[in-house]
Amino acid sequence: MAEYSQTFSRLVNELSKLPNIGVKTAEKMAYRILTMDTESYSALLSSMESVRKNIGFCSVCGNMADVDPCPICTSPIRRKNLICVVRDARDISAIERMRSFDGVYHVLGGLISPMDNITPDKLKIKELVARVKELGEDAEVILALSMSAEGETTCTYLVRELRPLGVEISRIAYGIPVGGELEYADGETLSRALFNRSKI
Amino acid sequence: MAEYSQTFSRLVNELSKLPNIGVKTAEKMAYRILTMDTESYSALLSSMESVRKNIGFCSVCGNMADVDPCPICTSPIRRKNLICVVRDARDISAIERMRSFDGVYHVLGGLISPMDNITPDKLKIKELVARVKELGEDAEVILALSMSAEGETTCTYLVRELRPLGVEISRIAYGIPVGGELEYADGETLSRALFNRSKI
């Protein structure tokens, strides 16, 4: 983009490294950053700085929070022996939004993917096993990982590690989204939904 | 989003004010901003700061540039009497990318839109008329505005202001995009393309 000044191109380039941001969107964003009023710009800047400075990851579960341990881990009304295993911290907020899960979490920090060089030792699997071991046979683990090659591999691996501990292990259900039209579902989802049918 | 810490929600909120950014994308961006390494974050931050500090708008044409007047206005190989009128500074880079236009520009800063309270006096129309008047009858003006209700209104208004100066006024062609399939063109574009057919 020699058509823009180098300064502008550099910002477009940095912005387009962010997830879901293509060059066109990055250009629009950069132009807005250039033209927005000082007040809006300060608000954007200070919120970025504040996130970098004040948010960390819970040393127990890996959730992001302003305090450590996070409010979920220290909550007196949460069932500490029910651990929901998720890929990353953003999954926690998706589940919390439902306001119906009363257990705690464990963030793996990714899924096993030999292609991307993500081996089990790079994920918080040892930490999960240690947590479950400490809870004893009373513990229950829910695997809330995506139904993908990486998700499957990770589930298989986790089950192999956790099974010897004698705890209950379950996996979230996969199927047609509630309110979703059958005709728009892909074949994999549809066959999974048929296979996992429940008696009425 | 009470599920996130307030600090995080504030960043998501600020990011979702940027153009083309929905809440989901803003969440992904905020999460990346939180987790990216210090080096990448510094690069993003400094490029934002640099754009705000170093880029301004050319006092002649309204183009964004590190210097004033901008390099296009001061270029010795540009035809100063051929003015291409555009909506905003980003349109200039779209045209410059072609590397085939050798005139100069004039940025209006928007299109006339009574609905949005954008009246002619809020745009750089007086400035355009003054520039053209100074050039005299030798000048040529190309209107490169979008084919929309606002674009039409603005063109009509500009023609009325510029016609008395006796200069040549033209408008860019509208039609089927080069390489575009006829079947995917909307009716308006198609009829415009038929109407503006050229003899072969």
Side-chain angles (χ1 to χ4, degrees):
Chain A
M1 276 171 297
E3 299 74 22
Y4 288 129
S5 77
Q6 278 206 347
T7 316
F8 192 80
S9 299
R10 193 161 73 92
L11 177 56
V12 171
N13 179 42
E14 290 302 327
L15 290 171
S16 60
K17 289 178 191 166
L18 293 170
N20 285 28
I21 306 298
V23 172
K24 281 275 153 221
T25 302
E27 283 178 12
K28 281 189 191 165
M29 288 170 67
Y31 190 65
R32 179 67 62 86
I33 286 171
L34 169 60
T35 53
M36 74 207 302
D37 59 71
T38 312
E39 201 178 332
S40 309
Y41 180 69
S42 303
L44 172 62
L45 208 63
S46 80
S47 62
M48 284 172 62
E49 291 285 75
S50 176
V51 156
R52 294 282 296 185
K53 242 179 260 165
N54 303 324
I55 299 191
F57 292 92
C58 173
S59 57
V60 180
C61 73
N63 187 17
M64 59 183 178
D66 320 43
V67 287
D68 184 22
C70 77
I72 293 175
C73 282
T74 52
S75 164
I77 59 167
R78 293 278 185 159
R79 290 164 57 192
K80 301 293 182 301
N81 59 344
L82 176 60
I83 301 182
C84 179
V85 178
V86 294
R87 177 204 177 123
D88 69 34
R90 289 192 310 119
D91 295 330
I92 294 183
S93 50
I95 297 173
E96 285 298 289
R97 222 165 281 163
M98 308 178 320
R99 302 186 190 287
S100 61
F101 178 70
D102 67 345
V104 293
Y105 295 93
H106 190 89
V107 175
L108 292 180
L111 297 174
I112 299 173
S113 172
M115 296 257 289
D116 302 315
N117 225 355
I118 305 178
T119 46
D121 58 295
K122 294 200 175 129
L123 305 175
K124 304 262 185 208
I125 293 179
K126 271 198 312 286
E127 290 82 349
L128 173 64
V129 173
R131 273 180 85 181
V132 174
K133 204 175 263 173
E134 203 173 299
L135 288 169
E137 292 190 6
D138 194 31
E140 185 182 341
V141 177
I142 300 173
L143 305 178
L145 305 175
S146 64
M147 173 65 84
S148 61
E150 292 80 12
E152 294 302 295
T153 309
T154 311
C155 278
T156 309
Y157 186 90
L158 289 176
V159 169
R160 213 177 55 195
E161 295 288 306
L162 297 170
R163 186 68 78 207
L165 303 178
V167 300
E168 203 178 312
I169 309 171
S170 59
R171 204 168 158 187
I172 54 166
Y174 301 90
I176 306 293
V178 177
E181 301 277 5
L182 273 197
E183 57 177 323
Y184 297 125
D186 61 291
E188 278 297 322
T189 303
L190 203 50
S191 62
R192 168 65 53 163
L194 284 170
F195 185 78
N196 285 348
R197 66 194 178 277
S198 54
K199 279 212 168 80
I200 51 170
Chain B
M1 277 169 295
E3 299 74 23
Y4 288 128
S5 77
Q6 277 206 348
T7 315
F8 192 80
S9 299
R10 192 162 72 92
L11 177 55
V12 171
N13 180 40
E14 290 301 328
L15 290 172
S16 60
K17 290 179 190 166
L18 293 171
N20 286 27
I21 307 298
V23 173
K24 281 277 152 216
T25 302
E27 282 176 13
K28 281 189 191 165
M29 286 169 67
Y31 190 66
R32 178 67 62 87
I33 286 170
L34 168 61
T35 54
M36 75 206 304
D37 60 70
T38 312
E39 200 179 333
S40 308
Y41 179 70
S42 303
L44 173 62
L45 209 64
S46 81
S47 63
M48 285 173 62
E49 291 286 74
S50 177
V51 155
R52 294 283 296 186
K53 242 178 259 166
N54 303 324
I55 298 192
F57 291 93
C58 174
S59 57
V60 179
C61 73
N63 187 17
M64 59 182 179
D66 320 44
V67 286
D68 184 21
C70 77
I72 293 175
C73 282
T74 52
S75 165
I77 58 166
R78 293 278 185 159
R79 290 164 56 191
K80 302 293 182 304
N81 60 343
L82 175 60
I83 300 181
C84 179
V85 178
V86 294
R87 178 204 177 123
D88 67 35
R90 289 192 310 118
D91 295 330
I92 295 183
S93 52
I95 297 174
E96 285 297 292
R97 222 165 282 163
M98 306 180 317
R99 303 187 190 286
S100 61
F101 178 70
D102 67 344
V104 293
Y105 295 94
H106 190 90
V107 175
L108 291 179
L111 296 175
I112 299 172
S113 171
M115 297 257 289
D116 302 313
N117 225 355
I118 306 179
T119 46
D121 58 296
K122 293 199 176 129
L123 305 175
K124 304 261 184 209
I125 293 178
K126 270 200 312 285
E127 290 81 350
L128 173 64
V129 173
R131 272 181 86 182
V132 174
K133 205 176 262 173
E134 204 174 297
L135 289 169
E137 292 190 7
D138 193 31
E140 185 182 340
V141 177
I142 300 173
L143 304 178
L145 305 175
S146 64
M147 173 66 84
S148 61
E150 291 81 11
E152 294 301 295
T153 310
T154 310
C155 279
T156 309
Y157 186 90
L158 289 176
V159 168
R160 214 177 56 196
E161 294 289 305
L162 296 170
R163 186 68 79 207
L165 304 179
V167 299
E168 204 177 312
I169 309 171
S170 59
R171 204 169 159 186
I172 54 164
Y174 301 91
I176 306 294
V178 177
E181 301 275 5
L182 274 197
E183 58 178 322
Y184 297 125
D186 61 291
E188 279 296 324
T189 303
L190 203 49
S191 62
R192 169 63 55 162
L194 284 171
F195 185 76
N196 285 347
R197 67 191 178 279
S198 53
K199 279 211 170 81
I200 50 168

